[in-house]
Amino acid sequence: MRILIVDDEPFICELLSEFLKSYGEVETLVDGSLALAKLEEARTEEKPFSLLCLDLNLCGADGIDILKELREQEEKWGVKPGEEVQVVIITSSYESKYFFEAHEAGCQGYLTKPILREDLIGKLEELKLIEPQN
């Protein structure tokens, strides 16, 4: 599994990378404006990401806008239903409006900071990206 983490806090990128490195190849970006180009590059090289962990409030970029654009691009790229990048929003916001906006835009999961390893792994199990850890 290929995993892309996009968060403007380097510590969060490192933490999530540490949590996820045993499940696949992890790449991180602290510049949200580069996320779509990275996702497109991976798709072009036929090595698409399975999981995108995406912060909502990025410096110079908005996570919801990135997510909406990703879903539009996936249609243009001819990505079949069920083969889309699974997106888990990672945010410090507890406002319900962001939760609903993120789901409307096409995310599959929503976790609030501080992120606990067991919550993230549980979400990956729920999304069937990894086998249950029992």
Side-chain angles (χ1 to χ4, degrees):
M1 169 170 53
R2 292 193 70 214
I3 303 163
L4 179 60
I5 300 166
V6 182
D7 196 302
D8 56 355
E9 296 179 50
F11 171 75
I12 297 296
C13 286
E14 289 174 31
L15 180 68
L16 295 179
S17 183
E18 188 64 31
F19 289 168
L20 296 171
K21 68 182 181 183
S22 64
Y23 299 102
E25 177 187 337
V26 179
E27 294 187 43
T28 62
L29 288 174
V30 292
D31 185 344
S33 68
L34 302 175
L36 289 169
K38 186 64 156 173
L39 291 158
E40 183 173 11
E41 175 186 304
R43 176 107 5 226
T44 300
E45 293 175 356
E46 296 184 10
K47 296 190 235 173
F49 290 97
S50 302
L51 174 65
L52 170 61
C53 294
L54 179 63
D55 187 15
L56 280 185
N57 301 312
L58 297 159
C59 222
D62 177 82
I64 297 287
D65 290 341
I66 291 170
L67 178 54
K68 287 177 181 176
E69 182 66 25
L70 169 62
R71 295 306 184 214
E72 288 174 16
Q73 289 298 333
E74 286 177 326
E75 275 189 44
K76 291 177 186 173
W77 299 333
V79 176
K80 296 175 186 157
E83 294 180 8
E84 303 95 343
V85 177
Q86 300 291 296
V87 178
V88 175
I89 297 295
I90 307 291
T91 183
S92 57
S93 177
Y94 289 86
E95 291 185 51
S96 61
K97 74 175 190 168
Y98 295 120
F99 174 85
F100 291 111
E101 283 180 24
H103 280 85
E104 282 180 19
C107 82
Q108 286 76 28
Y110 191 96
L111 298 172
T112 53
K113 298 174 187 175
I115 302 297
L116 301 175
R117 183 182 188 284
E118 53 269 18
D119 292 340
L120 181 57
I121 300 310
K123 183 55 66 180
L124 299 187
E125 290 172 353
E126 181 183 312
L127 296 173
K128 303 201 182 327
L129 289 169
I130 62 172
E131 295 294 320
Q133 303 297 300
N134 299 341

